[in-house]
Amino acid sequence: MLTLREVTKEYKVGAFGGKTVAAVKGVSFDVVPGEVVSLIGESGSGKSTIGRMILGLHPVTSGTITFDGRPVRAGKDYYRHVQGIFQDPFSSFNPVFKADRVFAMIKEAYYPDVPAAEWAERVETSLRDVRLNPAQVLGKYPHQLSGGQLQRLLIARALLLDIKLLVADEITSMLDASTRIDVLNLLAELKTRGLGVLYITHDLSLGTYLAERTVVLRRGRVAEMGPTDEVFGDPLHPYTRELLSAVPRLHESWDDAAPVESCLYHDKGGTGGLLEAAPGHFVACSALPSCPSGEV
Ligand SMILES: Nc1ncnc2c1ncn2[C@@H]1O[C@H](COP(=O)(O)OP(=O)(O)OP(=O)(O)O)[C@@H](O)[C@H]1O
Ligand SMILES: [Mg+2]
């Protein structure tokens, strides 16, 4: 469904745009229907940049992003299937309009011919799907709703469209613990409906809870990716181990993990990039100790 191949992003910076920052470097991964993929990495590693490129908000510098075989093209047809939700739900709402205006905007843009009564019914259904009581949220202003309620309203809005992929960028970081679990349970439910979710986070334990696959991003590159239980249960990249060590409860025996003593990729005759260490479990060689490329 969603395919990234060798995606690179360079931002122009400086007063005259003369300098560039390479935020994303040669990133390739897929998200298939009914799958949650976590994109994990520390601040500045390029996670949101990848999310924004997938949403067509920033052009790629090189490489390709395709959705159902077609290149990303920002516009109504694309956003019918691909939607993004971000960290701060308040920023997605105009404070002077009632929160349900987000639904009216969807109707105007996508379903102008649906009769009002049928539309109201659809909105109610999507609200109940995200476990919001329509009577409690419709007609309220954003400041009268909690962050968790607004986040759920945004998910309900996405459900009104025929979405296939949701890009969720740090959507739980502003929520308290119990609301966070609610929103995560909701995302887990979305995947049972066949949606693909790219779950961007720096919160390892919650990412694990949700995702079948995990992509670990470091300084704009994929350090390691694969099935979540393998990436966390048998981390091959020192950076992944470092991330795990910050969450001791998640992987109690991480100290016992065998140290990476040599560059796996070059040992096997590779020339750089990602090594498939186990089926579907990839690790970057360039950052491993004793990698001849010397790049860390
Ligand atoms: N619009 C922009 N112009 C210039 N540089 C940018 C822009 N947006 C991001 N960057 C730079 O690109 C790099 C990656 O940023 P990005 O926001 O993608 O990281 P992130 O992984 O989402 O971080 P965080 O966890 O803090 O949200 C950073 O060095 C950042 O400073
Ligand atoms: Mg970000």
Side-chain angles (χ1 to χ4, degrees):
M1 180 174 59
L2 178 78
T3 305
L4 284 81
R5 289 293 173 265
E6 294 295 324
V7 173
T8 295
K9 177 69 187 177
E10 288 174 2
Y11 288 111
K12 292 211 182 317
V13 292
F16 304 102
K19 287 186 183 165
T20 57
V21 172
V24 175
K25 303 166 195 164
V27 167
S28 303
F29 66 88
D30 303 306
V31 182
V32 302
E35 177 185 52
V36 175
V37 174
S38 274
L39 184 59
I40 286 182
E42 67 201 341
S43 184
S45 56
K47 306 180 298 294
S48 296
T49 299
I50 290 176
R52 288 196 290 262
M53 287 191 289
I54 293 169
L55 291 165
L57 304 174
H58 285 324
V60 300
T61 303
S62 66
T64 54
I65 303 181
T66 58
F67 180 76
D68 283 346
R70 287 187 289 275
V72 168
R73 256 189 75 209
K76 230 164 91 172
D77 284 342
Y78 188 64
Y79 294 134
R80 194 185 286 275
H81 301 305
V82 181
Q83 286 277 311
I85 306 183
F86 303 95
Q87 175 168 14
D88 175 8
F90 291 92
S91 67
S92 300
F93 292 88
N94 186 329
V96 305
F97 292 118
K98 288 178 180 161
D100 38 300
R101 190 178 145 85
V102 294
F103 298 116
M105 287 164 71
I106 293 285
K107 182 174 186 322
E108 278 161 33
Y110 293 93
Y111 305 104
D113 301 330
V114 173
E118 186 191 329
W119 181 252
E121 225 167 82
R122 285 197 206 176
V123 169
E124 290 213 0
T125 306
S126 76
L127 288 172
R128 293 193 198 285
D129 280 351
V130 299
R131 280 185 286 290
L132 283 175
N133 179 346
Q136 276 177 9
V137 294
L138 293 176
K140 295 255 173 79
Y141 288 96
H143 72 268
Q144 295 174 310
L145 297 168
S146 71
Q149 283 174 321
L150 291 175
Q151 219 51 302
R152 275 185 272 185
L153 268 178
L154 292 174
I155 297 173
R157 180 186 67 164
L159 292 178
L160 279 168
L161 297 165
D162 177 23
I163 65 160
K164 296 179 178 165
L165 177 72
L166 186 69
V167 176
D169 189 351
E170 307 277 5
I171 59 167
T172 58
S173 46
M174 287 179 64
L175 307 178
D176 63 54
S178 69
T179 316
R180 188 176 289 184
I181 298 296
D182 283 350
V183 170
L184 288 173
N185 282 334
L186 189 59
L187 292 185
E189 221 175 279
L190 296 184
K191 74 180 178 190
T192 65
R193 296 184 180 206
L195 258 80
V197 179
L198 181 65
Y199 182 75
I200 297 176
T201 181
H202 54 252
D203 193 327
L204 272 173
S205 53
L206 292 175
T208 341
Y209 162 73
L210 200 66
E212 281 84 14
R213 286 195 303 128
T214 292
V215 177
V216 179
L217 203 64
R218 178 174 185 265
R219 297 185 189 172
R221 289 187 204 278
V222 174
E224 182 162 358
M225 65 180 179
T228 302
D229 47 1
E230 278 190 42
V231 170
F232 292 163
D234 182 21
L236 298 173
H237 198 287
Y239 180 64
T240 313
R241 293 179 185 180
E242 218 175 277
L243 284 178
L244 287 170
S245 69
V247 192
R249 273 168 306 143
L250 183 74
H251 185 62
E252 279 162 15
S253 63
W254 96 280
D255 280 342
D256 306 335
V260 178
E261 274 156 8
S262 64
C263 171
L264 297 168
Y265 195 88
H266 287 280
D267 285 353
K268 296 195 178 173
T271 53
L274 293 171
L275 165 79
E276 188 163 12
H281 186 172
F282 297 85
V283 60
C285 77
S286 58
L288 294 177
S290 82
C291 171
S293 78
E295 191 183 332
V296 174

